[in-house]
Amino acid sequence: MRRVVLGVLAHVDAGKTTLCEGLLYRSGQLRTLGRVDHGDAFLDTDAMEKRRGITIFSKQAIIQHDDVEITMLDTPGHVDFSAEMERTLGVLDYAILVVSATDGEQGYTQTLWRLLERYQVPTFIFVNKMDAAGADRAAMLAQLRRHCSDGCMAFDDPDELAAQYEDIATLDEHAMDEYLDGETLSDATVQSMIARRLLFPCYFGSALQLDGIDTLLGGLQRTTRQPDYPQDFGAKVYKISHDSQGNRLTWLKVTGGALPVKAMLTNARRPPEAADERMNQAPATEPWHEKADQIRVYSGAKFTLSDAAQAGSICAVTGLTQTFPGEGLGFEPDAEAPVLEPVLTYTVIFGQAGVGNSGIGSADSSATNSSGADAKKSSANATNALDTHKALDTHKALVALRTLEDEDPMLHVRWQERLQEIQLQLMGAVQLEVVQQLMHDRFGLDVSFGPGGILYRETITQPVEGVGHFEPLRHYAEVHLLLEAAPRGSGLQFASACSEDVLDRNWQRLILTHLREREHLGVLIGSPIADMRITLLTGRGHLKHTEGGDFRQATYRAVRQGLMKANSRQQCRLLEPWYRFRLELPQDLLGRAMADIQRMSGSFEEPQIDGGYVVLEGEAPVSEMRDYTAQFNAYSHGQGSITCVFAGYRPCHNEAEVIAQAGYDPENDLDNTPDSVFCAHGAGYTVKWNRVEDFMHVDGGAYIDGVS
């Protein structure tokens, strides 16, 4: 039997979960048909999903249809949970993109299409809600060909499909040769074209009315094929979750060989000596070895235990504590960073309700009922009790949020020691509400969040060398790093250009590990750095006094010292997130919308007129547009629609203003100091960042003061 992993994707409210329900029902997997609005859909297993009527967490179900076994993954449709959706794309063999006939292609639908192209996922399209008034089959097909691909062809009518063979053949040279020979195309040729993303079968119907479901099932059975899997073991981790008993579940797809229960798994892929010369592949974490205690095959909320997971199957494994979404096991490499990422940061706030319930009382009331030294003592005791209670709440919340971060690494939970507060990154208001509800339901913690701030990034424009020296008594390490600007959106890259004759290989690998293990902050406003390549140039250790922690300190200081030098030359830049927006509104409101976009420092493309409506697409800074949805809905009186998706980071449009408001002093940030420590006369002393090169022990590497 063929095994196929199929993902279902859509803009929110397009009918994605309803389609999954229909596929399960018509294939015989369900006896009764559930509905999202009734709260009894098979794949909406979470209480929050039932209340809200949206998919929040990706779910799986098994469909047996003729000779094919389909593992169907229902993914979130709301943009706030796009990271959960994107993580599943790496394990899909095929995808169904659901488009609403009433709404047409939304801005987020185009984002999904681009992601499917990036991950090279063969795609079927199901146009839903064709029973609605005004639904136009020919217009929808033309729109799909115009906005997605010329390879979008109707597959739900055999006669129409046969008439399209000539058009299909023009998409591929081999298909054209076959068509010219017999004026038809074989199933094998069609399968191949779909698998190579040359052809995109389109089906039309109504999932709620079960119209078009059987045709879609038949099409999936005829035109999909199982990928060829190697004999060696490989697997891709795409999700981490916890069951109701607290067991940690690692969700993965086996991409080669087989995974037997009780097998020992590891993240070690090759011995250290096999790393390349620049050691760009040095591991970011220490190797681990853990046993797969259980292999669970889920369908909805229920699961069966399996003795082994074969190649092409999706399963949840217990017993693994150090895996993370996007990790590769066996021969599989780790996945690249996701395209969609949070752009807002929030602060966790604790209410005072719990204080009164704990019997602590307030300092003011204690002082009122006492006098003199007793009043001061009572007030101090109450204050200490309040501080203790807050510390306990903070610790509990941090532990709980770390658990949620384990499941969704994009949360990026951070404890700000300087500010004594917890911060996390989120996509938007809906995800914020979900996290708040999860904290209450799963951990019994009632928290709120401060107003969201923009998640800025910092980078440099010119190469600079950073030097870090750490030499308190009986410790020694010096590190020289080259910091270079990298292409926008490339993140951070690390490498080594240091000879092993100068610095031992183990020390070099340790320095690269220290570069990867921490979120390094910039010196403009203290935001994380991005789009940079950091290369180890040279360094020095001591046979007797150097310990691993010494190179950690020297490495951190070298990064910061390089950034301080770049800033002194005005070569640091602040980056801000931008939205890609799509506005659909009445023509008489176009002028207002265009004026708003210009006021927000955004840009837009030529408006597209469609009847009495106009579509305006463009890009604008998140800081200016984040609250625009409410304004748009107000002046369009509900007659328009707006979609915003993350479009990447660009130079900040009001950099000076943001820097001034932040008031960040990098030299007083003791947790991220750019200064170095040297030793003289048996004692360590601090040298300011701008004088470190006068005291350093190793000659500069390939780049000093911006001169090669």
Side-chain angles (χ1 to χ4, degrees):
M1 178 173 285
R2 287 179 292 142
R3 289 192 183 90
V4 172
V5 179
L6 176 75
V8 186
L9 297 82
H11 186 277
V12 67
D13 293 333
K16 172 179 49 60
T17 303
T18 303
L19 175 63
C20 293
E21 194 81 10
L23 291 171
L24 288 166
Y25 180 73
R26 295 301 297 171
S27 62
Q29 313 305 311
L30 298 179
R31 293 183 178 180
T32 58
L33 191 65
R35 289 181 53 154
V36 174
D37 52 347
H38 293 171
D40 58 357
F42 181 73
L43 289 175
D44 280 349
T45 58
D46 187 84
M48 280 190 296
E49 293 178 322
K50 294 178 180 180
R51 288 196 300 268
R52 291 177 174 270
I54 62 173
T55 301
I56 299 173
F57 310 103
S58 59
K59 304 292 195 315
Q60 80 173 55
I62 308 297
I63 293 177
Q64 303 279 352
H65 186 70
D66 292 341
D67 64 340
V68 61
E69 179 184 279
I70 300 175
T71 301
M72 184 172 60
L73 300 181
D74 181 20
T75 65
H78 197 284
V79 66
D80 278 15
F81 308 104
S82 55
E84 175 92 3
M85 173 277 303
E86 188 176 351
R87 283 193 289 267
T88 67
L89 297 184
V91 301
L92 299 183
D93 299 325
Y94 294 89
I96 299 177
L97 180 62
V98 183
V99 180
S100 171
T102 57
D103 300 327
E105 285 187 277
Q106 302 288 309
Y108 188 53
T109 307
Q110 284 294 309
T111 300
L112 293 174
W113 183 261
R114 289 192 292 268
L115 286 173
L116 290 166
E117 182 178 15
R118 179 180 190 249
Y119 288 89
Q120 286 296 294
V121 182
T123 304
F124 297 81
I125 297 174
F126 184 81
V127 181
N128 193 25
K129 303 182 182 180
M130 288 299 296
D131 57 335
D136 188 326
R137 186 177 186 277
M140 283 301 304
L141 188 58
Q143 186 182 93
L144 291 170
R145 288 175 176 167
R146 185 169 61 252
H147 294 157
C148 295
S149 170
D150 290 336
C152 294
M153 300 288 179
F155 265 58
D156 56 340
D157 185 335
D159 295 334
E160 184 178 359
L161 178 59
Q164 294 179 115
Y165 276 155
E166 183 176 357
D167 293 335
I168 294 174
T170 62
L171 302 172
D172 180 62
E173 184 177 346
H174 173 75
M176 178 58 75
D177 292 339
E178 182 178 327
Y179 178 78
L180 292 176
D181 288 341
E183 295 189 354
T184 188
L185 295 175
S186 66
D187 287 347
T189 297
V190 172
Q191 287 179 1
S192 175
M193 294 181 69
I194 294 172
R196 290 181 290 144
R197 285 184 54 83
L198 299 175
L199 182 60
F200 304 95
C202 299
Y203 295 85
F204 300 80
S206 170
L208 189 61
Q209 305 299 328
L210 298 179
D211 179 29
I213 301 297
D214 291 336
T215 306
L216 176 59
L217 274 172
L220 294 174
Q221 191 275 330
R222 286 192 310 274
T223 59
T224 58
R225 63 186 187 185
Q226 178 175 305
D228 295 326
Y229 295 107
Q231 295 296 316
D232 295 335
F233 171 72
K236 295 180 180 180
V237 178
Y238 73 94
K239 186 172 80 165
I240 302 295
S241 67
H242 294 77
D243 65 14
S244 56
Q245 283 74 44
N247 297 308
R248 188 177 189 269
L249 303 178
T250 297
W251 296 77
L252 53 83
K253 178 187 180 182
V254 180
T255 57
L259 174 61
V261 70
K262 304 300 181 184
M264 189 65 69
L265 295 176
T266 178
N267 64 337
R269 300 185 186 90
R270 57 180 178 174
E273 59 270 20
D276 61 20
E277 292 182 0
R278 294 178 68 85
M279 288 181 289
N280 204 24
Q281 301 298 323
T285 57
E286 292 296 322
W288 52 261
H289 299 78
E290 295 181 327
K291 186 184 296 184
D293 289 336
Q294 289 183 341
I295 297 177
R296 301 180 181 182
V297 179
Y298 275 83
S299 189
K302 298 181 180 180
F303 67 88
T304 58
L305 295 177
S306 176
D307 292 333
Q310 302 300 321
S313 60
I314 297 282
C315 62
V317 177
T318 66
L320 307 182
T321 63
Q322 301 189 60
T323 49
F324 59 87
E327 184 172 22
L329 303 176
F331 64 77
E332 289 285 0
D334 292 347
E336 296 180 3
V339 173
L340 304 175
E341 59 181 84
V343 295
L344 302 174
T345 178
Y346 292 84
T347 300
V348 179
I349 298 175
F350 302 95
Q352 298 300 317
V355 174
N357 294 336
S358 65
I360 294 173
S362 68
D364 291 341
S365 63
S366 298
T368 302
N369 296 327
S370 305
S371 61
D374 290 339
K376 292 182 179 180
K377 183 177 180 180
S378 178
S379 178
N381 289 340
T383 301
N384 291 336
L386 284 168
D387 291 341
T388 301
H389 189 276
K390 181 179 180 181
L392 288 173
D393 280 349
T394 301
H395 177 72
K396 290 178 182 178
L398 191 57
V399 170
L401 288 169
R402 292 292 187 201
T403 301
L404 297 181
E405 183 185 32
D406 182 36
E407 300 174 359
D408 182 3
M410 299 303 288
L411 285 177
H412 290 295
V413 178
R414 296 168 57 190
W415 166 249
Q416 291 282 22
E417 183 69 32
R418 179 170 57 91
L419 302 175
Q420 291 290 296
E421 64 184 23
I422 303 172
Q423 295 180 351
L424 69 159
Q425 299 172 16
L426 296 170
M427 294 290 288
V430 176
Q431 188 185 14
L432 183 71
E433 295 172 7
V434 168
V435 170
Q436 192 171 13
Q437 192 66 45
L438 284 172
M439 293 288 284
H440 174 81
D441 294 346
R442 288 178 56 178
F443 307 104
L445 294 172
D446 291 319
V447 299
S448 57
F449 297 92
I454 303 300
L455 188 60
Y456 293 95
R457 295 277 190 261
E458 298 184 32
T459 191
I460 58 176
T461 58
Q462 298 294 327
V464 64
E465 180 174 347
V467 181
H469 189 97
F470 187 69
E471 191 189 358
L473 186 61
R474 297 188 180 87
H475 293 269
Y476 187 94
E478 183 166 304
V479 172
H480 292 238
L481 302 173
L482 174 62
L483 281 62
E484 301 172 278
R488 193 72 66 234
S490 60
L492 296 178
Q493 306 163 33
F494 307 103
S496 174
C498 181
S499 169
E500 292 182 32
D501 296 333
V502 175
L503 188 63
D504 186 78
R505 186 182 192 85
N506 288 334
W507 290 134
Q508 293 190 43
R509 294 176 61 83
L510 184 61
I511 291 170
L512 291 177
T513 297
H514 292 325
L515 286 171
R516 286 184 172 92
E517 71 188 3
R518 188 183 198 189
E519 186 177 63
H520 301 280
L521 304 184
V523 297
L524 295 176
I525 63 172
S527 289
I529 60 174
D531 300 340
M532 292 170 57
R533 180 177 177 84
I534 303 179
T535 305
L536 171 62
L537 296 177
T538 187
R540 179 179 292 178
H542 192 281
L543 290 176
K544 181 178 180 181
H545 296 309
T546 298
E547 299 177 355
D550 299 343
F551 274 109
R552 175 184 290 110
Q553 287 292 328
T555 300
Y556 293 170
R557 293 164 193 262
V559 173
R560 291 286 283 187
Q561 197 263 354
L563 293 173
M564 291 294 290
K565 285 171 60 178
N567 190 37
S568 68
R569 302 167 185 164
Q570 297 184 337
Q571 294 171 352
C572 287
R573 289 293 177 270
L574 194 64
L575 304 176
E576 67 175 343
W578 280 54
Y579 275 145
R580 174 78 183 176
F581 64 82
R582 175 188 169 92
L583 306 180
E584 187 172 348
L585 69 168
Q587 286 191 41
D588 59 339
L589 297 178
L590 177 61
R592 163 71 187 271
M594 294 171 68
D596 286 347
I597 299 304
Q598 291 174 335
R599 174 180 52 81
M600 294 186 290
S601 302
S603 62
F604 49 81
E605 301 161 7
E606 184 178 349
Q608 302 295 316
I609 298 176
D610 184 9
Y613 278 74
V614 62
V615 176
L616 187 67
E617 296 188 15
E619 296 180 341
V622 171
S623 59
E624 300 288 344
M625 203 170 191
R626 55 178 297 196
D627 298 323
Y628 186 62
T629 299
Q631 299 177 37
F632 177 82
N633 291 334
Y635 75 73
S636 66
H637 303 290
Q639 298 181 40
S641 64
I642 177 173
T643 304
C644 298
V645 294
F646 175 59
Y649 276 83
R650 298 184 182 177
C652 184
H653 76 287
N654 59 338
E655 181 179 77
E657 179 184 344
V658 173
I659 293 175
Q661 288 179 351
Y664 178 68
D665 184 355
E667 297 192 57
N668 285 332
D669 188 350
L670 301 182
D671 293 331
N672 299 277
T673 180
D675 304 331
S676 286
V677 178
F678 289 81
C679 186
H681 309 295
Y685 64 97
T686 299
V687 173
K688 298 297 290 182
W689 65 272
N690 54 354
R691 297 200 59 207
V692 169
E693 282 152 3
D694 297 333
F695 292 79
M696 65 186 185
H697 294 178
V698 183
D699 289 338
Y703 225 98
I704 280 287
D705 293 332
V707 180
S708 179

